[in-house]
Amino acid sequence: MTEAPADGERTLLVVHHTPSPSTRELLEAVLAGARDPDIVGVRVRTVPALGATVPDVLAADGYVFGTTANFGYMSGALKHFFDTVYYPCLDAIAGRPYGLWVHGNNDTAGAVASVRKLVTGLALAQVTQDLEVTGPIDAQVRERCYELGATVAVSVSQEV
């Protein structure tokens, strides 16, 4: 069951597919940024892509999507999420902010392009550059993930 946010609090929904230690590390850095103590009035909810529902999406004020790049496409789990929520949420979430991170061994372009098509169709507002990560995770990558999470959270906190 989705817990209601406190009065005046806005919700950032982080939908992710993190099957490996490296993708989990990226998620943790994004969440740390989104939960930065200087960002007030934003409740961060994280839900695995296979568990996220239409009510989760409708109740959120902004989104971060995280996925692996699999065979030139987003993960099947994130694709399932979008298949499940796309039409029920179409028009209802237009204009809400979002951010995206994708991790691949050597190529992320197809995965990023596939997510962009869907968020464009949903008319979500991109508030930060897509974060494309290939190879190992280092301090610079973790910092970029932190910034992505913080940027989207700040955007959610300022939405009217």
Side-chain angles (χ1 to χ4, degrees):
M1 177 159 204
T2 302
E3 181 184 318
D7 239 0
E9 192 174 47
R10 303 187 56 79
T11 300
L12 172 61
L13 179 64
V14 179
V15 179
H16 63 94
H17 179 65
T18 53
S20 68
S22 58
T23 55
R24 189 70 193 181
E25 190 174 352
L26 296 174
L27 172 65
E28 293 302 327
V30 167
L31 293 174
R35 293 176 174 144
D36 184 294
D38 290 336
I39 302 169
V40 295
V42 177
R43 176 177 172 256
V44 179
R45 286 196 63 235
T46 180
V47 181
L50 291 175
T53 64
V54 169
D56 292 328
V57 174
L58 293 174
D61 301 291
Y63 315 93
V64 173
F65 305 112
T67 184
T68 53
N70 295 340
F71 308 108
Y73 201 72
M74 73 179 96
S75 69
L78 193 64
K79 175 68 166 71
H80 174 77
F81 160 76
F82 280 118
D83 286 346
T84 302
V85 305
Y86 189 88
Y87 286 110
C89 295
L90 192 61
D91 298 326
I93 62 172
R96 294 180 189 177
Y98 87 91
L100 168 68
W101 62 263
V102 177
H103 181 269
N105 288 332
N106 55 27
D107 180 30
T108 58
V112 169
S114 63
V115 173
R116 280 187 188 160
K117 286 178 186 176
L118 292 163
V119 295
T120 298
L122 290 167
L124 296 179
Q126 184 175 8
V127 295
T128 185
Q129 288 185 338
D130 300 324
L131 178 53
E132 299 181 55
V133 179
T134 55
I137 311 306
D138 60 17
Q140 181 183 19
V141 169
R142 284 189 295 276
E143 179 60 30
R144 290 173 56 211
C145 287
Y146 187 97
E147 289 171 8
L148 183 143
T151 299
V152 180
V154 166
S155 295
V156 166
S157 75
Q158 296 173 348
E159 287 292 306
V160 223

